[in-house]
Amino acid sequence: MGDFNCVLLGDEKKGGHEPRTSCINEFSDWMDDNNLFEADSLGCKLTWTNGKSGTRRILSKLDRAIINESWITKFANRRYSWNAPVYVNHDTIFPFKLKRLKATMKLWNKTVFGNVNTRFKQAQLKFEVASRNSDEDPHDVAKLNVMKNALVAVQDVRMQQHIMLKKKSRNKWLLEGSSNTSYFHSTINIRRSANTISELVSEDGLTISDPDQIRDHVVSYYEAKFNGTDLPIDEKLFEYDHASISVEENQMLDAIPSLEEIKTAFFNLGADSAPGPDGFSGCFYRHC
């Protein structure tokens, strides 16, 4: 699924130059050669616009979901949709979409992906049962295939568990191919231990170690800190004279970043770094 930048039919573009026949044929041949076809969609048919008006306005269908026969057999009644509206101004479209995506991903994680550790134990149990059944009747090809499929399921879930542990450990130097699960567990436990507040010393010198008392003390401390009386402000602080920036510096600060600068900034994000305030890691931005 994505933006293929190619139209297939005459009614998939309105305005602008006529689509090139060579591009249409090349894309169609690629789909035919690989036994692919486009999935049915709901909502807006023309998914892209150049944002202009009048005779300069161009509408086109560029976004598609390409599937094969196996996919349609397994998900016969599925459709994809482009009609999720965005009722915000241009400055907040991107964070709005991220927030909406996060809600969908949380639901998917709960209902589809699930608890990877529990799934790993279940996959191991299914493999053990299938292996035992196959050992009892070694000549039964069907039981052997069931055991092979169960083994593949175990390996898939183990890889997902490995990826999850690597993300939680926030390890940046280890190679992608390593699957030292015990090391990742140790790294996670060490970081959690280092981040744990086991005791606090209050202003009167008392040591607090009970978790409930630590929680109440922290809450009361910040309530007092941010709900206190306003302090007097010395007006002389605002009389400080400083040099103004130049016209060139001001223009540089006001300049809109180019697409190449934005792309460079995204791809400089660490793939395994901790997620930012929006909850998405560098791997997400670099991939999407």
Side-chain angles (χ1 to χ4, degrees):
M1 178 183 289
D3 182 354
F4 288 91
N5 281 317
C6 184
V7 299
L8 294 178
L9 303 173
D11 59 350
E12 291 183 353
K13 183 179 181 181
K14 295 182 178 179
H17 299 291
E18 290 292 328
R20 289 188 296 172
T21 307
S22 59
C23 293
I24 297 176
N25 294 338
E26 182 180 4
F27 192 72
S28 299
D29 293 342
W30 170 76
M31 294 179 61
D32 293 338
D33 294 341
N34 293 279
N35 296 320
L36 301 172
F37 52 93
E38 184 178 356
D40 293 334
S41 64
L42 302 173
C44 302
K45 181 177 181 180
L46 304 179
T47 58
W48 177 86
T49 177
N50 62 347
K52 301 296 179 61
S53 59
T55 57
R56 296 183 298 170
R57 183 171 176 79
I58 302 176
L59 298 170
S60 181
K61 178 178 181 179
L62 303 180
D63 305 282
R64 306 177 190 276
I66 307 300
I67 59 178
N68 58 13
E69 186 176 354
S70 299
W71 198 97
I72 197 64
T73 301
K74 188 174 182 179
F75 308 104
N77 296 321
R78 298 297 176 93
R79 302 290 186 274
Y80 71 94
S81 176
W82 302 109
N83 61 349
V86 178
Y87 299 111
V88 294
N89 58 50
H90 289 286
D91 296 333
T92 55
I93 285 179
F94 185 65
F96 176 84
K97 288 185 175 181
L98 285 181
K99 185 176 181 180
R100 185 170 62 188
L101 174 63
K102 187 183 297 183
T104 304
M105 292 178 68
K106 285 183 177 179
L107 179 63
W108 172 84
N109 181 57
K110 182 178 180 181
T111 59
V112 179
F113 190 77
N115 188 312
V116 68
N117 296 320
T118 302
R119 290 173 51 229
F120 182 61
K121 293 179 180 178
Q122 293 174 347
Q124 281 184 316
L125 180 60
K126 290 181 180 179
F127 171 71
E128 291 173 1
V129 173
S131 179
R132 195 178 303 114
N133 292 337
S134 179
D135 291 344
E136 293 174 354
D137 191 0
H139 300 290
D140 192 326
V141 178
K143 292 182 179 179
L144 177 62
N145 290 334
V146 171
M147 184 194 70
K148 290 181 178 179
N149 293 334
L151 178 59
V152 172
V154 171
Q155 294 171 343
D156 289 343
V157 180
R158 181 186 286 118
M159 180 57 65
Q160 294 172 3
Q161 184 189 48
H162 159 68
I163 295 173
M164 181 196 70
L165 291 173
K166 189 173 187 296
K167 292 291 184 185
K168 285 189 174 182
S169 70
R170 298 178 185 174
N171 190 293
K172 297 181 180 180
W173 59 266
L174 206 60
L175 296 177
E176 283 293 330
S178 177
S179 57
N180 192 342
T181 303
S182 60
Y183 170 77
F184 289 136
H185 274 292
S186 300
T187 305
I188 295 170
N189 292 332
I190 290 172
R191 197 183 76 251
R192 287 176 176 173
S193 176
N195 292 337
T196 301
I197 299 176
S198 57
E199 62 180 27
L200 289 175
V201 178
S202 62
E203 294 179 350
D204 51 8
L206 296 176
T207 301
I208 306 173
S209 58
D210 181 74
D212 293 335
Q213 293 180 359
I214 291 177
R215 178 198 61 200
D216 296 338
H217 178 75
V218 171
V219 172
S220 61
Y221 172 82
Y222 282 104
E223 283 181 345
K225 181 179 180 66
F226 294 110
N227 293 331
T229 57
D230 294 333
L231 297 175
I233 299 176
D234 188 356
E235 296 295 334
K236 294 182 179 179
L237 294 174
F238 299 97
E239 297 175 359
Y240 176 73
D241 189 19
H242 59 86
S244 300
I245 62 175
S246 65
V247 176
E248 291 77 13
E249 291 172 330
N250 184 58
Q251 292 175 346
M252 183 270 294
L253 292 173
D254 289 339
I256 299 176
S258 66
L259 293 179
E260 189 62 31
E261 288 178 307
I262 296 173
K263 180 180 178 181
T264 302
F266 273 114
F267 278 83
N268 284 336
L269 295 173
D272 295 322
S273 60
D278 56 11
F280 293 95
S281 65
C283 179
F284 169 84
Y285 286 111
R286 288 169 60 172
H287 180 77
C288 299

